[in-house]
Amino acid sequence: MTKLVDYAKLSARQLMKKRMRVFLTAFGIAIGIAAVVGIISFGEGIRYQAIETIKQQSDLTLIEVTGSVRDGTVIPITESKVSLIQKIPHVEAAGPVYQVSFSTLRQTYISVTGISGEDLQKIFKPSFASGGMYDPASNQVIFGHELAEKLQKYEGVRQGDLFTVVIRDYDPNGAPSDRKLAIQSSGALRERGDSLDSLLLMDRDSVSALSNESTPYNAVYVRVDNPEHVFAVVDEIQSLGLSANGSFRQIESVNRLMDLVILFLSIFAAISLIVGALMIVNTMIMSVYERTREIGVSMALGASQGDVVTLILMECLYIGVIGGLLGDLLGIVFSWAINSVGKAYLITQMGDMFSGFARYDLTLVTPEILVMGFLVAVVLSLLSGIYPALQAARLNPVDAIRHT
Amino acid sequence: MPAIIEADHLKKAYRGDVPALAEATFRIEKGEFVTLIGRSGSGKSTLLNILGCLDSPSSGALTLDGEPVNFRDPSLLVSLRRRKIGFVFQQFNLLPYLTAQENIEYPMLFNYREPEVRARAAQELLTCVGLSNRGHHHPSELSGGEQQRVAIARALINNPPIIFADEPTGNLDQKTSEEIFSLMQSIAREKKTTFFIVTHERDFGEYADRSFQLIDGKVTGA
Ligand SMILES: Nc1ncnc2c1ncn2[C@@H]1O[C@H](COP(=O)(O)OP(=O)(O)OP(=O)(O)O)[C@@H](O)[C@H]1O
Ligand SMILES: [Mg+2]
């Protein structure tokens, strides 16, 4: 180890003698690193903006859990699964629901969700355009905003009206049979912009009473305390064998898309890294050639092949470290340039449309990106040094010493 | 007393031609000052490189300080070079970017010693070769004779029992050459170091305890 420190000092002395060449070589790799850092920070910036926009525009902390099919067997939502979900950390409330459908006498189809009044309050925090909550175990219902408009327009149903819906059952032979049910709206919700807008909500026990046999729940609505914990909760739910859906899926698809875009752009940036690496190979081959005699003399004075390899790789390590630091620095400058020039350009081009984005930076340089850039430079430099180092180690000392 | 160098029918042929070294069999005792004289192309460097474990013979056996040399074992060759052998070259071959003292310490980087130990040993040797106040000078600031003194000190740093020198005065004038030879001779006396010196100037035979000749690839005078 102390031996390595001395080798490092020796290599530093070597490199100081050819500062310009070392700097140019390191600069070559630095440009590649800067391109990668700039492009990734740009991609990360766009990812960040897209996710922030989703967070603002959608109800991220709501998860809809449904049963799933695994290896051909159905995993139903049982009472015990519901209580397991309720115990997941950061779950504020988990309300199991029944989902059925009614149709009106004029064949308008209505999706019905049976949810307990308490769960409805806790999970959806409903605000009413008119009327209020249904009574438990009654025939009262709440209209979503869109549904209320639709029923009023096509069926003439108003708040407080008693009206008849048809429930279609199927007998064991698959033949349909219809039942009629009189229901009454206790209230209509304000527009929410989510799936509740088109639903008819009813007390869970009332929906459950509509069917004779007891059935598993169709879904569980889960409210998470904080957007940051959504993915952890989703993982827990999935480990129970259930499926989870919600706005977080949008984030997942943004992430998938951005991963792909960043990867694709990085491949282009990587081309400049390859050029940088070839420069190192070239520099080191020249350096080994120029020092052929010195290497032979070192071998005569007791250097092993391993010592020679170490000394050459040590120089590459320096080039990598210089190139990595320089590359990170250039990358930050590059990313700052995209940000200031790019943002100004977008604002003039898109005007108000862009105002939402203007709050964020176009690029996002994270410590991870910088560390990665640095490591790529170092590893690439060491890899580039392997061939020249082995060439140096394979020199025949007698021929090398005679070399002029 | 065991021989420090024992060469037994060493032979070296390149690509089946006339052998560069046809026959070398001799014993050298510890502390002997030996010169090897021969015409250009007679195989002097070839023999010296084999004895110095830099090159391998086509046939024959070599024993250094009681250790048989297995030329097919690279790590043994490295180890022998570190422990048993010092080299002095015609071209001095100091590293230009290191000072005189650092050049002397250089072999101790491979045969690892702590920096303080290295510095102390190097300063002692600088005094020994008469350059005690030139340690911080770079080779470009030294005359040829001074550079060769530094190179001799470098060869001595690991305290090897044998020093091989291939025409160490080939690039020096007569007077400086004599100084270098008498320096090596006094070191041999003082430290009991064995010197094996290739030269094609017969005059330096007077410094030698023994003088070998290489004629047509054959060592004589042993
Ligand atoms: N690598 C090699 N390949 C082929 N032939 C070689 C090689 N090295 C040396 N020789 C030949 O071996 C012979 C001996 O060479 P060597 O260098 O040992 O001579 P020398 O006595 O040291 O000569 P000089 O006094 O000029 O240094 C020469 O004929 C030379 O051409
Ligand atoms: Mg020669």
Side-chain angles (χ1 to χ4, degrees), chain A residues 94-266:
Chain A
V97 300
Y98 290 113
Q99 289 165 332
V100 294
S101 60
F102 297 159
S103 62
T104 64
L105 292 173
R106 294 192 200 171
Q107 306 287 324
T108 304
Y109 179 86
I110 304 174
S111 300
V112 180
T113 293
I115 181 167
S116 79
E118 196 193 340
D119 287 341
L120 181 62
Q121 293 282 9
K122 271 203 282 193
I123 296 167
F124 292 100
K125 300 172 184 72
S127 68
F128 289 89
S130 62
M133 289 297 295
Y134 41 65
D135 292 332
S138 68
N139 66 342
Q140 292 185 330
V141 300
I142 297 170
F143 295 150
H145 175 79
E146 248 174 65
L147 179 69
E149 280 190 342
K150 192 160 81 173
L151 288 178
Q152 182 167 6
K153 205 164 165 188
Y154 300 112
E155 309 272 342
V157 175
R158 287 171 180 282
Q159 150 88 32
D161 286 356
L162 201 65
F163 73 109
T164 306
V165 290
V166 176
I167 305 168
R168 174 158 289 187
D169 295 320
Y170 295 90
D171 68 13
N173 301 325
S177 72
D178 290 350
R179 275 190 287 156
K180 288 194 174 130
L181 178 72
I183 55 172
Q184 184 187 25
S185 93
S186 65
L189 298 177
R190 280 187 215 279
E191 185 165 9
R192 298 171 55 91
D194 64 12
S195 60
L196 248 55
D197 281 348
S198 59
L199 287 183
L200 185 144
L201 300 169
M202 203 170 174
D203 186 51
R204 197 178 72 209
D205 294 336
S206 314
V207 175
S208 149
L210 295 175
S211 106
N212 306 331
E213 65 237 59
S214 75
T215 52
Y217 297 116
N218 297 95
V220 183
Y221 284 106
V222 175
R223 177 61 69 187
V224 181
D225 59 2
N226 187 314
E228 260 138 54
H229 301 131
V230 168
F231 283 99
V233 171
V234 166
D235 282 346
E236 292 277 345
I237 290 169
Q238 283 169 343
S239 70
L240 294 176
L242 303 171
S243 334
N245 273 297
S247 311
F248 70 88
R249 289 265 178 237
Q250 280 175 277
I251 292 183
E252 280 184 343
S253 42
V254 165
N255 276 334
R256 261 197 301 274
L257 178 71
M258 287 316 299
D259 284 348
L260 207 70
V261 169
I262 291 173
L263 178 72
F264 187 72
L265 291 176
S266 302

Side-chain angles (χ1 to χ4, degrees), chain B residues 36-222:
Chain B
L36 177 67
I37 303 168
R39 294 159 147 274
S40 182
S42 59
K44 303 185 296 294
S45 297
T46 304
L47 173 59
L48 182 127
N49 289 333
I50 292 170
L51 298 179
C53 300
L54 287 178
D55 204 353
S56 52
S58 312
S59 62
L62 174 67
T63 308
L64 289 180
D65 203 10
E67 286 187 49
V69 180
N70 178 358
F71 286 95
R72 253 164 281 169
D73 180 352
S75 60
L76 173 69
L77 298 181
V78 169
S79 152
L80 285 169
R81 290 203 290 264
R82 286 180 184 172
R83 292 177 294 121
K84 303 287 184 202
I85 298 166
F87 274 103
V88 177
F89 309 94
Q90 180 175 357
Q91 317 283 350
F92 321 137
N93 285 333
L94 300 178
L95 305 196
Y97 54 92
L98 297 182
T99 63
Q101 181 177 332
E102 287 164 341
N103 264 291
I104 296 172
E105 291 180 29
Y106 189 67
M108 271 196 174
L109 285 182
F110 309 119
N111 202 11
Y112 190 76
R113 295 288 182 281
E114 292 67 32
E116 309 79 59
V117 178
R118 295 204 298 260
R120 214 176 316 122
Q123 273 152 9
E124 248 169 58
L125 285 168
L126 271 167
T127 312
C128 166
V129 297
L131 293 172
S132 51
N133 52 354
R134 308 297 299 273
H136 54 283
H137 286 187
H138 282 83
S140 57
E141 298 165 308
L142 301 173
S143 73
E146 286 163 345
Q147 287 187 53
Q148 197 61 303
R149 285 165 186 270
V150 173
I152 290 168
R154 176 178 68 179
L156 289 165
I157 190 82
N158 285 325
N159 249 322
I162 314 162
I163 303 279
F164 290 106
D166 196 348
E167 304 197 37
T169 58
N171 281 12
L172 300 174
D173 59 42
Q174 180 66 26
K175 186 171 166 294
T176 316
S177 300
E178 280 169 12
E179 284 168 13
I180 291 291
F181 262 91
S182 65
L183 173 67
M184 291 191 290
Q185 193 186 44
S186 68
I187 290 168
R189 301 250 160 86
E190 208 173 299
K191 295 186 185 280
K192 287 269 164 279
T193 308
T194 309
F195 275 78
F196 188 98
I197 301 167
V198 165
T199 173
H200 52 220
E201 280 152 290
R202 221 161 259 282
D203 311 358
F204 297 116
E206 66 192 74
Y207 290 93
D209 298 328
R210 273 199 290 169
S211 207
F212 296 167
Q213 286 196 35
L214 246 179
I215 300 165
D216 296 333
K218 289 201 173 83
V219 174
T220 60

